[in-house]
Amino acid sequence: TAMSIFWQKLLLLWNNRPAPFIILLLFVSFFYLRFDRYIGLRPMSDHTWAQCDRASVARNYADQSMNFFLPRVHYTCGGEGIVGLEFPAINYFVAILYKCFGFNEAFYRLTMLLIIFAGLFALMKIANSILNNIWISMMLVLSWYLSPVLTYYTPNFLPDTASLGFVLIFWHYFF
């Protein structure tokens, strides 16, 4: 029947090129986890002060000075505002987006999402190279990603999930 031919062709396409399906799965998970509802919101919830510091550094890069080696925060109790924090590459990248497209918190959150999604894609490729089964690899990675802590901190201003995403990407290239 026509439906069985459709499924056979879909399975053949899946076996030859699984990347579009995985990207589609991540896109669906974006809406399933309701990231679209708070992607443009300001820092909130747990660790608001740390989120505001990271968001402030990106904003100050864009507004004050694009000097990579002088990250600044807004409120400093009378100090200069120059702070020490983790390597500010993500903040600097987001500041470039602010300069190009205007200020919007969605750029920061979407950057964090893209980094962790790239990491999950790399992890799926690692799992597939070990298991030789794309379905099991995808389900393992998806079930790991859907842990509440990881999904809670993914579209955030904290660098932890981006660090995890970069580690997964580097593991892929290492293996």
Side-chain angles (χ1 to χ4, degrees):
T1 66
M3 190 55 101
S4 67
I5 292 171
F6 169 76
W7 286 112
Q8 288 174 355
K9 288 187 178 185
L10 188 65
L11 187 61
L12 180 66
L13 179 65
W14 170 265
N15 289 331
N16 291 335
R17 298 204 176 254
F21 292 102
I22 294 157
I23 292 169
L24 179 67
L25 182 67
L26 291 174
F27 185 74
V28 168
S29 72
F30 175 84
F31 290 103
Y32 176 75
L33 295 170
R34 298 182 178 172
F35 289 159
D36 58 318
R37 291 189 181 181
Y38 59 93
I39 201 76
L41 298 178
R42 295 196 172 252
M44 61 183 177
S45 190
D46 296 335
H47 311 293
T48 303
W49 65 271
Q51 293 182 50
C52 288
D53 278 350
R54 278 34 174 229
S56 179
V57 168
R59 180 73 184 256
N60 278 307
Y61 271 142
D63 290 346
Q64 301 271 328
S65 165
M66 289 297 285
N67 185 348
F68 183 79
F69 299 104
L70 292 175
R72 293 181 176 86
V73 293
H74 281 93
Y75 181 70
T76 60
C77 295
E80 291 182 25
I82 298 171
V83 295
L85 54 111
E86 64 276 338
F87 189 68
I90 295 171
N91 308 73
Y92 198 80
F93 175 75
V94 172
I96 292 170
L97 293 176
Y98 289 166
K99 284 269 199 195
C100 293
F101 304 109
F103 177 73
N104 190 344
E105 272 93 0
F107 292 130
Y108 207 114
R109 291 184 189 264
L110 286 172
T111 300
M112 301 301 270
L113 273 170
L114 289 174
I115 293 169
I116 192 67
F117 282 173
L120 292 172
F121 184 72
L123 181 63
M124 193 276 314
K125 289 176 85 173
I126 293 170
N128 187 39
S129 68
I130 294 169
L131 300 173
N132 290 325
N133 188 326
I134 195 74
W135 291 97
I136 293 174
S137 302
M138 188 177 67
M139 289 303 124
L140 282 173
V141 169
L142 186 64
S143 64
W144 178 70
Y145 175 67
L146 291 178
S147 69
V149 172
L150 191 56
T151 56
Y152 180 76
Y153 284 105
T154 293
N156 213 322
F157 295 86
L158 299 176
D160 303 330
T161 54
S163 300
L164 177 64
F166 284 131
V167 166
L168 294 174
I169 292 167
F170 296 143
W171 276 357
H172 168 67
Y173 287 110
F174 179 76
F175 291 120

